[in-house]
Amino acid sequence: MQAEQQAKHQGGGSLPREAALARTIRLALGVLGMTAALGVPGTDALAQTANGEIDPALRRVEITGSAIKRLESETALPVQVITRADIDKAGVTTAAELMARVSANVGGLTDGASINVGGDQRGFNSANLRGVGTSSTLVLLNGRRMANFASPGDDTGVDLNNIPAAALQRVEVLLDGASALYGTDAIGGVINFITRKDYQGLDLNVYGSRTDEGGAGKRTASITAGTGNLETDGYNVFAVVDLQQTDRLSTSQRKFISNLHVPERLGHLLSSYTSPANIRLSGDQRDFLQEKGFLLNGKPITNRLINLSIPTCSGPANVYLPAGTGGVDACTYNYMGDTELYPKTDKQNLLTRGVFKLNSDHQLYAEAALSRSRSYYVGSTSRPDGDIDAGMVPQLAAAGLTGPLALRIRLDEAGRRTSELTSESQRYVVGATGTVGKWDYDIGLNHSVNVVKDRDTHGYLLADQLQQGITDGIINPFGESSAAGKALLDKIQVNDEVRHARGTMDSLDFKVSRALSAMGGGDLALAVGGEVRRERTEFRPSALLLSGNITDDAAPEGGRFTSDSRNVQAIYSELLLPFTKQWQAQLSGRYDHYQQVGGALSPKLGVTYMPNKQLLVRASAGKGFRAPSMSDLHRPTVYSQTATLPDPVLCAAENNDYSSCANNWDTRRYSNDKLKPERSRQFSAGLVLEPGKHWTFSADYWNIERSNLISEIGDDIILGNLAKYGDLVHRNADNEIDYIDLRKENRGAQKASGLDLTADLHGVKTAWGRFGGHLSGTYVLASKIQTSPGDAYVSNLNAFVTDGVVQRWRHTITVDWDLGPYSASLSNTYSSGYKDQNSAINTDDGSVVQPNRVKAYTMWDMSGAYAFSKAFKLRAGIQNMFNTSPPYSNQAYYFLSGYDPSYTDPRGRRFYASANYSFK
């Protein structure tokens, strides 16, 4: 709440006043007297022994953000660590659920947000650090890359479904751009998922959950088995199998959907395709019926869209809503009463790793990770256009109307549109590590594949036979069809793998490091590394899709397969300079070269200062660039649609009759093989405090600027500023929108800055048990995008713009307690409120929707565990204890309306239990 109050009194581009920041720090420390959070326990603590000295015996390890082994506390870059214990206490079972609890992760793709009909990249779960884009967040598995989600679309990144969650030992989140070490796609930061490496024994784990209101239940089981001690046996081999199933969740299963009052509030976002079908009259046909005195619902018609069943409209999904897209003379379809909020999923993961000791100086290792995630998306029923002769409609024929009638049909008899999305991943790594002379080395060969299969399984129909059935009167668009009509609908159901995408990545990488000479604070150390990588993407739409003969599933423009590849080379170096025991510098640089795009040097400088054992000060600055993805460069043109948006030109001609001037306008999304790389500059500065043996506090300021931004102008911005972007809107002879161009271009810039705050309370022993806790929060100072060079920046900080919002303040807080075999955890996640997408429809006066401020969203989770022995533990918990529903939102970007599915959870209160048995 305090962060929210600060947001009201401060501008987005300046640091908060010192007094306000001090109050925030005191508040965080006070809260941590009894609470703490999932995210970074102990990460930034200054590694000390009981007498306050730095422990020289602590093993130096490689930390994400550096290629030189060191203590965790020595790094100049802010790294958050999530441990296996943190994951268990939170009750999360997937990498996507885990990342939703990281305060710096904003606007990533989720199962709920990806629900749509006819959209691309369904089934993709992604991370998005700092809200600067999925494509600018690098996801690693054990320090190496994975193949990106293969389906071409606006986002490029690793599908988190392919991360074997049960195999994780810890997760390291580097909250600083790291292009100088890892590559061009690390502008927002790096997430390194690290698996167990030397497990011995057998570990069995089962998990089950159910929701309070039904739907979205989950069942998981995992087996971990390992054998061999690397030191004594000379080898270690282990494997993890993780199986998960989640049930679907329908709108009818959640009370909060009806409480959102979507028809009353967001009638303009609903559909004018209904059952019984709406009839779209021409202007002449409407004028003719008016002259003949034709009545509907006892009144003369006024609009071109009519429905002969008003005002009943055969609910419940079809409603009579004069202010909706159906208007006063027709029906409106409330798809939020006839769709799913959360898909049914089946996920399987296997990870196996073997390490073999050749001698005291050299080891060989091999790793294989296989995964398959299958999601079943169920949307609203099919909504084709159709034509019928006016003579086949008795009421209109009696009025003397002749000629063809255009229909907007909702085919309830055909069933909901259902798709099966399968994402399969394979990753094989073989390599060697060891020491030659004074050089530590690591060399590895990585072959990674992602395959995405998108199958239409039900509710999609063969368009030509459907139209013929309507024309012949076999299929009734105004009521129940005959037995022959129903048989025809069953016959023309599509069951076809309409899209098949495959992405492969083959790379050879190496790194070597050594101490060079003594300096005042330790050894001068050098690391050198390099990588050669080949990336390849293939996209194969089916012959049926390319024929354009599937209702509601448009063929990509050009009707062709695509196959593209490129080579990438990189070399980097890092120098560690411990000038004194207090001062240390990290200097690194990386040169990347992308075939077709070109290359660039990304330098970085980091500095740490430790004046005493209780304080560490750190800062870093660097440059980076992001090469356009192959999807950005080469993907086929995608035919899609906007949310239901009014056309200002048509609305002016139709006296703001939204039944006539609002529609799901067709769009064409283009790639661009002339794109240039984005450029970036990053800066961070912070401190770590350890005022006592139980307390650690850190605060880090971060600042990111990107230029040459690869983006497209949002459809809501285009329609809201036709004077500037009118050339992107193509119109037919009647001056109605034919389609809108959405083109990838290098345009404008992006700026983002903020503060990361963490605080830890650890190891507090009392007569009532041992307490600990953690706070991890992000306070964003600025987040804004410039659409074109010279334009004013548009801020999405605490304001929903086009496709999302960056909240001012997000945090996770957790308190932990244990006493003997008992333990418990209480956690809270929070996202601050923000200004809604009130200008999505009319940027001048905010008409159509009432201005709204989305309320803050906070959830409480609790879990408890009992250890019967060292081998057997039971845990039970409640997630979303108070059954908090997603707050109402006007947003018009996502298919689901009435709330923002990108950061909220529609599942409600959930109860879960897990059992773990370990044989060591």
Side-chain angles (χ1 to χ4, degrees):
M1 179 62 70
Q2 185 165 355
E4 200 170 342
Q5 291 171 347
Q6 289 180 20
K8 294 180 180 178
H9 297 291
Q10 298 176 52
S14 62
L15 285 167
R17 293 169 296 179
E18 183 177 352
L21 179 59
R23 287 196 302 270
T24 301
I25 293 172
R26 287 197 301 271
L27 174 62
L29 293 175
V31 168
L32 281 166
M34 15 184 249
T35 60
L38 170 67
V40 206
T43 302
D44 291 321
L46 309 184
Q48 297 180 353
T49 59
N51 61 9
E53 298 297 325
I54 300 294
D55 186 357
L58 287 176
R59 182 170 62 92
R60 292 175 178 255
V61 295
E62 187 172 313
I63 302 299
T64 302
S66 174
I68 297 172
K69 293 182 177 180
R70 61 181 74 186
L71 298 177
E72 288 182 357
S73 61
E74 292 178 344
T75 177
L77 306 178
V79 180
Q80 294 186 355
V81 177
I82 305 170
T83 67
R84 178 77 249 173
D86 298 323
I87 298 172
D88 290 339
K89 286 183 291 188
V92 297
T93 63
T94 68
E97 288 177 332
L98 180 62
M99 293 313 302
R101 301 174 66 87
V102 175
S103 61
N105 182 47
V106 181
L109 298 176
T110 65
D111 281 332
S114 64
I115 285 181
N116 56 57
V117 283
D120 57 8
Q121 297 194 303
R122 286 180 292 185
F124 184 18
N125 281 204
S126 73
N128 183 356
L129 293 178
R130 306 301 187 203
V132 298
T134 287
S135 304
S136 295
T137 298
L138 178 58
V139 173
L140 305 174
L141 181 63
N142 290 331
R144 285 189 168 92
R145 290 175 178 264
M146 303 177 68
N148 288 329
F149 188 75
S151 184
D154 290 328
D155 295 288
T156 302
V158 170
D159 184 7
L160 296 181
N161 289 312
N162 299 147
I163 303 293
L168 296 179
Q169 183 67 32
R170 69 183 189 279
V171 182
E172 294 179 353
V173 183
L174 173 61
L175 296 173
D176 190 82
S179 298
L181 281 178
Y182 295 106
T184 64
D185 41 2
I187 291 174
V190 180
I191 303 170
N192 191 6
F193 293 92
I194 300 171
T195 65
R196 299 167 175 174
K197 291 185 170 61
D198 55 358
Y199 182 81
Q200 299 176 64
L202 180 65
D203 187 278
L204 306 176
N205 189 83
V206 293
Y207 170 102
S209 72
R210 68 171 182 84
T211 61
D212 203 20
E213 296 181 70
K218 181 187 292 187
R219 297 156 299 282
T220 77
S222 65
I223 302 174
T224 305
T227 183
N229 183 291
L230 192 61
E231 296 300 323
T232 59
D233 301 324
Y235 74 93
N236 176 261
V237 179
F238 83 96
V240 181
V241 176
D242 182 26
L243 308 174
Q244 300 196 26
Q245 287 186 331
T246 301
D247 300 327
R248 61 173 47 96
L249 175 63
S250 296
T251 52
S252 61
Q253 294 175 287
R254 286 298 174 267
K255 296 176 182 177
F256 83 87
I257 294 297
S258 59
N259 294 336
L260 293 173
H261 299 291
V262 169
E264 295 86 350
R265 287 167 153 173
L266 301 173
H268 63 284
L269 292 182
L270 303 182
S271 175
S272 59
Y273 289 75
T274 61
S275 175
N278 282 335
I279 299 171
R280 174 71 166 168
L281 301 171
S282 67
D284 290 341
Q285 288 174 328
R286 178 190 57 185
D287 295 343
F288 175 84
L289 290 175
Q290 287 176 335
E291 290 174 3
K292 293 292 184 178
F294 182 78
L295 301 179
L296 266 181
N297 197 24
K299 300 177 182 178
I301 63 172
T302 56
N303 297 335
R304 289 173 53 191
L305 197 65
I306 67 172
N307 194 300
L308 303 176
S309 71
I310 65 168
T312 58
C313 289
S314 300
N318 300 299
V319 295
Y320 181 60
L321 194 68
T325 53
V328 69
D329 295 323
C331 301
T332 297
Y333 177 76
N334 176 19
Y335 60 84
M336 285 302 290
D338 187 31
T339 190
E340 290 193 350
L341 303 173
Y342 212 78
K344 172 186 174 182
T345 61
D346 295 304
K347 302 177 183 181
Q348 301 90 35
N349 283 277
L350 166 68
L351 181 132
T352 181
R353 179 180 171 88
V355 184
F356 306 92
K357 187 175 182 180
L358 299 179
N359 54 44
S360 59
D361 292 326
H362 304 283
Q363 298 175 6
L364 297 177
Y365 59 87
E367 182 180 300
L370 308 176
S371 71
R372 182 177 67 182
S373 174
R374 185 168 289 161
S375 304
Y376 303 85
Y377 288 97
V378 180
S380 52
T381 52
S382 183
R383 38 148 288 173
D385 292 302
D387 295 310
I388 195 172
D389 188 270
M392 297 182 68
V393 183
Q395 298 95 316
L396 299 181
L401 189 67
T402 60
L405 292 174
L407 305 179
R408 293 184 178 180
I409 308 168
R410 184 69 58 173
L411 284 173
D412 292 346
E413 291 179 330
R416 291 180 179 181
R417 286 169 286 180
T418 305
S419 299
E420 179 184 295
L421 196 291
T422 304
S423 172
E424 297 175 336
S425 177
Q426 303 174 49
R427 181 177 182 269
Y428 306 98
V429 176
V430 293
T433 184
T435 304
V436 176
K438 295 184 179 180
W439 290 91
D440 294 330
Y441 73 90
D442 189 349
I443 183 170
L445 182 65
N446 182 355
H447 174 67
S448 189
V449 181
N450 180 251
V451 175
V452 177
K453 305 171 186 177
D454 190 355
R455 175 179 290 274
D456 291 343
T457 62
H458 193 79
Y460 295 91
L461 307 169
L462 296 177
D464 56 352
Q465 295 188 48
L466 173 64
Q467 178 56 58
Q468 191 63 48
I470 294 172
T471 301
D472 295 342
I474 299 174
I475 296 174
N476 182 6
F478 303 111
E480 185 177 0
S481 297
S482 65
K486 294 177 181 178
L488 177 60
L489 288 174
D490 289 339
K491 178 184 175 182
I492 62 177
Q493 291 277 352
V494 171
N495 188 348
D496 184 57
E497 187 180 292
V498 290
R499 298 171 184 83
H500 184 100
R502 177 184 174 90
T504 61
M505 185 205 69
D506 293 287
S507 68
L508 175 66
D509 66 82
F510 78 93
K511 59 186 172 187
V512 294
S513 62
R514 63 160 295 177
L516 298 178
S517 61
M519 296 186 70
D523 290 333
L524 169 68
L526 171 70
V528 177
E531 178 186 21
V532 290
R533 188 167 78 246
R534 182 168 179 80
E535 301 173 346
R536 186 178 185 87
T537 60
E538 299 175 5
F539 177 66
R540 300 201 306 270
S542 72
L544 179 57
L545 181 67
L546 290 178
S547 72
N549 197 31
I550 304 178
T551 61
D552 303 312
D553 204 346
E557 188 178 56
R560 62 186 177 89
F561 297 177
T562 60
S563 180
D564 303 286
S565 62
R566 66 181 177 189
N567 296 322
V568 183
Q569 300 90 30
I571 188 167
Y572 65 87
S573 181
E574 178 186 0
L575 199 61
L576 181 64
L577 301 161
F579 300 112
T580 68
K581 293 185 181 299
Q582 290 78 36
W583 285 97
Q584 178 176 281
Q586 174 190 354
L587 179 63
S588 57
R590 178 184 177 108
Y591 180 81
D592 291 271
H593 184 273
Y594 281 73
Q595 185 179 359
Q596 179 185 348
V597 175
L601 175 66
S602 300
K604 194 170 192 87
L605 172 66
V607 178
T608 61
Y609 173 58
M610 191 172 174
N612 54 57
K613 301 177 182 65
Q614 287 76 42
L615 174 63
L616 172 71
V617 181
R618 57 192 177 195
S620 68
K623 292 184 177 182
F625 88 115
R626 184 181 80 83
S629 69
M630 284 193 287
S631 180
D632 292 334
L633 294 167
H634 304 300
R635 81 171 181 185
T637 300
V638 176
Y639 282 36
S640 187
Q641 291 182 325
T642 69
T644 305
L645 298 175
D647 169 22
V649 172
L650 193 56
C651 285
E654 296 285 346
N655 195 29
N656 287 324
D657 170 21
Y658 296 117
S659 68
S660 298
C661 65
N663 202 354
N664 304 104
W665 306 112
D666 289 337
T667 62
R668 298 183 184 179
R669 310 177 81 95
Y670 299 92
S671 57
N672 182 355
D673 61 3
K674 302 297 192 297
L675 288 172
K676 299 177 182 179
E678 296 178 351
R679 304 285 173 168
S680 69
R681 293 186 296 174
Q682 293 93 229
F683 169 75
S684 69
L687 55 83
V688 184
L689 293 171
E690 191 168 1
K693 66 178 182 178
H694 298 302
W695 282 99
T696 306
F697 172 80
S698 71
D700 289 278
Y701 169 78
W702 51 270
N703 186 297
I704 301 172
E705 293 187 15
R706 292 200 293 170
S707 58
N708 247 9
L709 197 64
I710 299 172
S711 65
E712 59 188 30
I713 302 172
D715 47 42
D716 58 334
I717 293 178
I718 292 173
L719 291 178
N721 193 353
L722 291 176
K724 183 171 185 178
Y725 301 118
D727 60 330
L728 298 176
V729 180
H730 299 262
R731 298 181 181 274
N732 59 25
D734 295 327
N735 209 28
E736 296 176 336
I737 294 177
D738 188 13
Y739 64 91
I740 301 173
D741 279 346
L742 300 176
R743 296 184 177 275
K744 290 279 188 182
E745 302 283 355
N746 290 104
R747 39 172 112 243
Q750 182 177 22
K751 295 181 179 181
S753 62
L755 289 169
D756 290 323
L757 301 173
T758 70
D760 280 289
L761 175 68
H762 39 267
V764 179
K765 296 181 179 179
T766 72
W768 303 280
R770 184 172 57 184
F771 291 87
H774 184 80
L775 161 71
S776 176
T778 298
Y779 185 88
V780 182
L781 298 166
S783 178
K784 51 189 177 182
I785 294 178
Q786 182 187 49
T787 305
S788 299
D791 285 359
Y793 280 87
V794 177
S795 174
N796 67 343
L797 175 59
N798 260 19
F800 193 111
V801 177
T802 302
D803 60 354
V805 61
V806 174
Q807 289 102 333
R808 172 78 72 176
W809 172 254
R810 290 163 57 96
H811 75 234
T812 305
I813 302 174
T814 300
V815 59
D816 299 319
W817 165 86
D818 64 84
L819 178 63
Y822 298 94
S823 61
S825 178
L826 177 67
S827 70
N828 170 252
T829 56
Y830 176 88
S831 297
S832 60
Y834 56 90
K835 180 182 176 183
D836 208 354
Q837 194 179 19
N838 302 321
S839 61
I841 308 306
N842 186 325
T843 56
D844 293 325
D845 59 17
S847 63
V848 181
V849 295
Q850 291 295 320
N852 179 57
R853 179 174 176 80
V854 179
K855 295 179 180 179
Y857 185 60
T858 184
M859 290 195 300
W860 291 88
D861 303 335
M862 182 176 65
S863 71
Y866 180 77
F868 290 87
S869 65
K870 291 184 178 180
F872 184 48
K873 177 183 283 189
L874 289 179
R875 179 177 294 276
I878 306 175
Q879 294 173 321
N880 194 356
M881 291 169 52
F882 302 108
N883 201 27
T884 302
S885 300
Y888 169 77
S889 170
N890 289 329
Q891 67 82 17
Y893 179 77
Y894 296 101
F895 174 75
L896 298 174
S897 294
Y899 70 100
D900 185 342
S902 67
Y903 71 96
T904 60
D905 193 328
R907 292 176 292 176
R909 185 185 292 118
R910 305 180 296 282
F911 305 90
Y912 72 90
S914 64
N916 180 266
Y917 202 103
S918 298
F919 303 87
K920 298 292 186 179

